[in-house]
Amino acid sequence: MHYTGTIWRPPYEADSLLLEVTAGCTHHKCKFCTLYNDLPFPFRLSPAEDIESDLQEVQKAIGSWKSRPPRRVFLTGANPFVLSCDRLTAIAAQIHRYLPFVHSIGSFARITDITPKTDEELARLRGLGYGGLTIGLETGDDEALCFMDKGYASSDITAQCHRLDAAGIHYNFFYLAGISGAGRGETGAKRTACVCNQLHPALIGANMLTVYPDSGLYAEIQRGNWQEESELEKYKEVRTLIEHLQIPTVFAAMGASNAFQFCGHLPKDREKLLSFLDRIIETVNESELRQYRKNVYHL
């Protein structure tokens, strides 16, 4: 299989076949992100022959698998959904030709990847099996989105995800606790809830911001332009977000950035999740949480 650099996937894609169609990120400007710093280039398309070779390899290996073949393919890279509708269509055709048992195709996506696609193209992609996109929403706080150079505003999130809803393409959000900075966590959480309450994410996955020395955000901190939230403030922020979400969705903290992992269905499990977070806030020491953060060597 052709894989380039560190391969990232959401925790819930553990059973999916990982197929590289891109490497790196087309944006590559978010100040907090270091995920693709190990690549010698910002972004690259995989050659069609490499994709076909990987699918042929999987096809040949199916007979020796003890478990059933994967029903889902997850396209790797920071935002493969940036590819044109025609290119995504061709990739889907290759997948279905070699792996006819595959029912769905997912990937990471940026909000800006949706914008250039027409409503008809989104509907066509849904018909080919595309769904379960994972979108790095990060926050609905426009001040934080601007400062971090995300490349879009909260109004873009609602506009483009409304289009995904209309096309029947379901999606998940990644929320980044701490992105609004010290003293603004709960404000950022309320603004994010306001955005999410207009949409239909199947899951909202919370991650905790970890600042690495090779990030643009670290440089901003050194210049005195931004101050990091405490670890306990991040948990209060997540609590505020859960408290203000009014939509049915799964809320989960599953990744390595979370010292405490949890999952529940909203609104049914709201009180259980809030009580769990209250216990952390009331009983866990800031220094313990900070020590955990220091030991998260990579995300």
Side-chain angles (χ1 to χ4, degrees), residues 218-229:
Y218 182 85
E220 293 282 13
I221 293 172
Q222 299 308 301
R223 288 192 286 264
N225 295 333
W226 194 83
Q227 185 178 351
E228 189 174 1
E229 286 183 27

Side-chain angles (χ1 to χ4, degrees), residues 155-177:
S155 59
D156 299 313
I157 298 171
T158 54
Q160 298 309 316
C161 289
H162 277 315
R163 297 182 64 226
L164 292 181
D165 288 333
I169 295 178
H170 64 284
Y171 51 90
N172 308 307
F173 284 154
F174 273 0
Y175 175 74
L176 190 57

Side-chain angles (χ1 to χ4, degrees), residues 131-185:
L133 302 178
T134 293
I135 300 171
L137 167 87
E138 321 302 2
T139 183
D141 178 0
D142 279 324
E143 291 178 45
L145 289 172
C146 180
F147 181 80
M148 295 296 177
D149 287 339
K150 280 299 296 182
Y152 55 78
S154 61
S155 59
D156 299 313
I157 298 171
T158 54
Q160 298 309 316
C161 289
H162 277 315
R163 297 182 64 226
L164 292 181
D165 288 333
I169 295 178
H170 64 284
Y171 51 90
N172 308 307
F173 284 154
F174 273 0
Y175 175 74
L176 190 57
I179 192 173
S180 291
R184 299 191 66 254

Side-chain angles (χ1 to χ4, degrees), residues 73-135:
V73 170
F74 185 78
L75 308 180
T76 68
N79 59 322
F81 205 66
V82 74
L83 299 176
S84 69
C85 180
D86 288 345
R87 185 76 184 106
L88 290 170
T89 297
I91 290 171
Q94 285 182 297
I95 291 171
H96 295 311
R97 181 185 316 126
Y98 289 105
L99 310 177
F101 45 80
V102 167
H103 292 169
S104 64
I105 305 169
S107 75
F108 286 121
R110 282 178 48 80
I111 290 297
T112 52
D113 298 343
I114 306 163
T115 308
K117 294 176 175 62
T118 67
D119 293 343
E120 292 74 17
E121 288 175 331
L122 291 175
R124 188 201 315 173
L125 293 173
R126 174 66 187 94
L128 292 170
Y130 284 95
L133 302 178
T134 293
I135 300 171

Side-chain angles (χ1 to χ4, degrees), residues 3 6 12 14 45 54 62 85 100 109 112 117-118 152 161 168 194 196 201-203 220 222 228 236 243 247 285 294:
Y3 293 125
T6 304
Y12 43 79
L45 302 178
D54 288 346
I62 289 171
C85 180
T112 52
K117 294 176 175 62
T118 67
Y152 55 78
C161 289
C194 183
C196 291
L203 176 146
E220 293 282 13
Q222 299 308 301
E228 189 174 1
K236 292 176 183 177
E243 191 175 27
I247 53 172
N285 189 284
K294 290 179 179 177

Side-chain angles (χ1 to χ4, degrees), residues 12-25:
Y12 43 79
E13 296 285 1
D15 293 330
S16 302
L17 171 67
L18 304 182
L19 180 68
E20 181 171 291
V21 300
T22 64
C25 178

